Each structure stands twice: as C-alpha cells, then as structure tokens.
Amino acid sequence: MIKRVGSFFKGFFSIFTKRKNIRLGVYGPPNAGKSSLSNRISKDWIGEEMSAVSHIPHETREIIVKEKITVKSKGKELSFNLVDTPGIATKIDYEDFLKFKMSAKSAKERAKEATKGVIEAIKWLDNMDCVLVVLDSTQNPYSQVNITIIGNLAARNIPVMIVANKTDLKKSDVKRIESAFPQYPTVGISVEKGKNMEEFYEQLFKLLKK
Amino acid sequence: MLTLQYIPYHEFSNLGIDEKLRRILKSVREDKIILIEGRLAPTEESELIKRTMQQIDKKFKGIEIASVDYELKNATLGDTIKRNIAHMLLRKRPGITIVGPATIVKEIRKDPRKIELLTMEKKRR
C-alpha cells in the first residue's frame, strides 16, 4: 500500500518535473535547415544563436543543447531545452566534401565526425520529450531517412511536428509533405526569410503542451 | 555486373536484430543489392543506420535503403482489418525493403507505392 502511494506521488510530481525540463529535439536529414531553425528560435527568445550554419552538408556534427528557452503565446509561457542534432544520413562519402573546395584531409575528418554525429543523433532519440522534424520542402519527402526518423519517434510515442522549410523556393511543395505524413501537424516556413514564423510558434506551443 | 539477392520473409522472420543486420551489411559490403520480403521495424532501421555509420571506411561509403508497403487498391475497411489481423497473427510486416551499397546505388526514388532504383554510371576511361 505504502509502495503504491509512493509511486502515485512519484508519478504525480513527475508531471511537473518533466514540464520543467522539456527536451525539444530538432531532427531531420542534412541541409534541411535544422541549425538555422534552432538559431532562429534561440535568437527570437533569448537573443543569441546556438549553432554554426553552412551550405556544406554535415556542418553540425555534435549534439548542441541550448537550455531554458521560454516561448510565449497568448499570455502563456513554456520553457524547454532545445537540442540541435546532426543530420541523419545512410551514406557519407568524404569525396562529396571535396566539391566544396575542402582539402582531402579536412574532408576525411569531416566525414569521420559526421558518421559519429549520425550515431549520436540516433542515440539521443530516447532522450527527447517532443521533436521538430525539419524537412526541405523542395525535396521528395518519401526518403527512407525521413520515414525512419518519424517511425522511431512514433514507436517511442514522442510528439512530433513536421517543419517544411524553404517555402520561399520555387520548387517548394508543402502539400506533398502533408500527404506523406498526414498523421502529424505540418507547418510550412522559410527560416531564411522569416516566413510564417508566427504560425510556427503557435504550433510549437501546442506541441510543447502535449 | 549487378548482383541482386532476394531474401524471402521466412528466412528473416525468426532472426534476431543482430543477425538480421549482420547479414544485410555483409551482403551490401559484398556489393550486392538485397531485396527483402517484408519491412524492417523502425528500431531495426535506425540500428542499421548506426551500424552502417560505424563501418564506413575508404571503400564502404554507406547504404541506400527504401521500403514500401503495398496496400490493396480500393480495399474496403473490412479488407484492411482482415489484412492487418492476418499480418499481426503471422507477425509479418508487409511490403518490401531494398538495401544496396551507396557506391553502386546512386539513389532510390520512392513514392508511396513505387520504388525506382538508380545505379551509378560506370566511369568512362
């Protein structure tokens, strides 16, 4: 009986402790705009950026955490720790980096670090309370990496919001992403142009409350 | 020359995750494209990606993977329920999975019910 009462209180208080330290993960394939979005969120709410951004794939090769970001919506506020993760890929070839005028030594080093980053990103899936899956809306959403990420989050019952980035580009097709993953809320934005960020924050607030 | 290896469902269904992934990566590292009857579970897929990353080296650049679930066209709700119960009883994940080495398979283009596999062009001397 005492054990039962103890576990009841433990469960009751865990609601509050979990809410105090929500971990919001930012996942997706390389070059979808995960770090750009993380920077934008961090800059909008605490005034500082958190990750380096580059047009060369696999710029983020380590997990980066920004603690205690508080977002406000309609008079209410919620705090979370933002976790920017390396892009998940099924292949990494150092020769791809040579196209960006990188030395062979740097390219090999980057590839090695990128493989470790992918492993870390997958390991961290277990630590997330909710996740933003950032996809490039100009690309085919049916890639296996996207399906694997979302499938893993579903298997762990982690609430998900899909962010269809790069809506400022001509080839952008948010509806295609919506039809690929109809069970999840999808918001089309352009981080670079700051397009539709208000709706994004409204949806983010709903996600954090889940 | 391309080698395509077919793995029927019953060959894989009773294997543990370690053995499944070991066999997949062994074949892919031998430059084979494998066609598996059924789909891997999401956790198996993410574990496959992790192990692929651990094995990347000068020769092995990773994998291309795609799986597709086939659904009966114009299936009624009853058909879908029957199909799901049958698969649940057989512990079967319907569909197919293709895995190939990234050095041979350039891209697997996928729509919900169609897979196109594009291979690398041979370099002209």
Side-chain angles (χ1 to χ4, degrees):
Chain A
M1 182 67 182
I2 292 168
K3 211 175 179 182
R4 267 193 197 167
V5 173
S7 64
F8 168 77
F9 279 107
K10 199 178 165 190
F12 182 74
F13 286 115
S14 73
I15 297 169
F16 298 101
T17 48
K18 189 188 170 194
R19 284 289 161 222
K20 270 186 186 171
N21 298 299
I22 299 170
R23 273 199 184 134
L24 173 67
V26 184
Y27 276 82
N31 270 48
K34 297 177 295 302
S35 295
S36 300
L37 178 62
S38 301
N39 278 342
R40 175 84 201 207
I41 297 170
S42 183
K43 194 145 196 198
D44 282 349
W45 299 100
I46 56 172
E48 55 190 61
E49 295 192 339
M50 61 184 280
S51 304
V53 173
S54 163
H55 63 289
I56 308 172
H58 298 284
E59 179 66 19
T60 307
R61 300 184 293 284
E62 285 178 341
I63 303 283
I64 301 167
V65 184
K66 197 77 175 170
E67 294 189 335
K68 290 179 186 169
I69 295 181
T70 304
V71 291
K72 290 172 190 167
S73 176
K74 294 172 185 167
K76 290 178 182 172
E77 57 181 58
L78 273 171
S79 293
F80 57 90
N81 296 340
L82 185 61
V83 185
D84 185 19
T85 67
I88 295 181
T90 58
K91 57 181 178 184
I92 293 170
D93 186 352
Y94 82 91
E95 287 182 20
D96 291 339
F97 302 133
L98 298 175
K99 294 168 197 160
F100 297 95
K101 292 179 181 170
M102 207 175 264
S103 71
K105 195 185 166 195
S106 304
K108 281 178 189 170
E109 190 58 33
R110 191 182 182 93
K112 201 177 169 188
E113 288 171 4
T115 59
K116 288 179 186 167
V118 173
I119 295 168
E120 279 304 298
I122 293 171
K123 280 184 186 167
W124 270 68
L125 278 168
D126 287 319
N127 300 328
M128 300 301 168
D129 296 308
C130 41
V131 166
L132 299 173
V133 176
V134 183
L135 303 180
D136 180 340
S137 63
T138 67
Q139 302 288 318
N140 180 0
Y142 294 101
S143 86
Q144 198 61 35
V145 162
N146 298 347
I147 291 163
T148 300
I149 295 170
I150 291 170
N152 270 274
L153 294 166
R156 291 166 170 82
N157 284 323
I158 297 172
V160 170
M161 176 171 125
I162 295 173
V163 182
N165 189 24
K166 308 189 185 182
T167 55
D168 56 305
L169 300 179
K170 230 180 177 181
K171 281 185 179 175
S172 166
D173 190 346
V174 179
K175 280 193 178 157
R176 197 171 185 208
I177 294 179
E178 282 171 344
S179 64
F181 306 106
Q183 62 276 50
Y184 298 103
T186 301
V187 183
I189 62 166
S190 164
V191 178
E192 199 179 303
K193 308 280 179 199
K195 211 172 132 187
N196 209 25
M197 292 306 291
E198 262 180 45
E199 198 202 330
F200 165 76
Y201 284 124
E202 261 179 48
Q203 293 295 330
L204 175 63
F205 206 84
K206 285 181 193 167
L207 177 78
L208 293 168
K209 276 184 13 186
K210 277 184 186 171
Chain B
M1 190 181 71
L2 281 179
T3 310
L4 188 71
Q5 184 184 355
Y6 172 68
I7 302 176
Y9 180 77
H10 65 83
E11 252 189 50
F12 243 38
S13 57
N14 293 323
L15 297 179
I17 182 170
D18 287 329
E19 184 56 18
K20 267 188 204 174
L21 302 186
R22 193 192 66 76
R23 284 182 61 177
I24 292 172
L25 284 169
K26 183 176 176 282
S27 296
V28 171
R29 294 200 66 151
E30 288 167 356
D31 284 347
K32 291 175 186 163
I33 296 169
I34 51 176
L35 185 63
I36 305 162
E37 185 188 1
R39 286 178 303 142
L40 297 174
T43 45
E44 290 174 331
E45 284 175 1
S46 58
E47 193 57 37
L48 176 62
I49 295 175
K50 263 164 73 179
R51 293 188 192 186
T52 299
M53 290 296 123
Q54 285 162 349
Q55 294 191 20
I56 283 182
D57 56 26
K58 220 174 174 183
K59 198 177 160 233
F60 180 60
K61 310 289 185 191
I63 59 168
E64 276 290 348
I65 176 170
S67 61
V68 69
D69 183 8
Y70 46 80
E71 280 172 20
L72 299 170
K73 240 185 178 180
N74 305 322
T76 61
L77 181 66
D79 291 337
T80 311
I81 292 170
K82 268 188 232 164
R83 177 179 175 264
N84 289 344
I85 290 172
H87 290 313
M88 209 168 71
L89 291 173
L90 295 167
R91 293 170 66 205
K92 200 170 176 179
R93 294 178 56 79
I96 55 161
T97 304
I98 300 178
V99 192
T103 42
I104 293 175
V105 182
K106 186 180 162 196
E107 194 187 346
I108 302 178
R109 277 189 204 152
K110 202 180 134 191
D111 271 318
R113 293 182 189 88
K114 188 177 78 179
I115 287 181
E116 277 179 292
L117 188 136
L118 308 170
T119 54
M120 295 280 187
E121 268 181 59
K122 237 183 177 180
K123 281 179 188 167
R124 284 181 193 167
R125 292 188 181 182

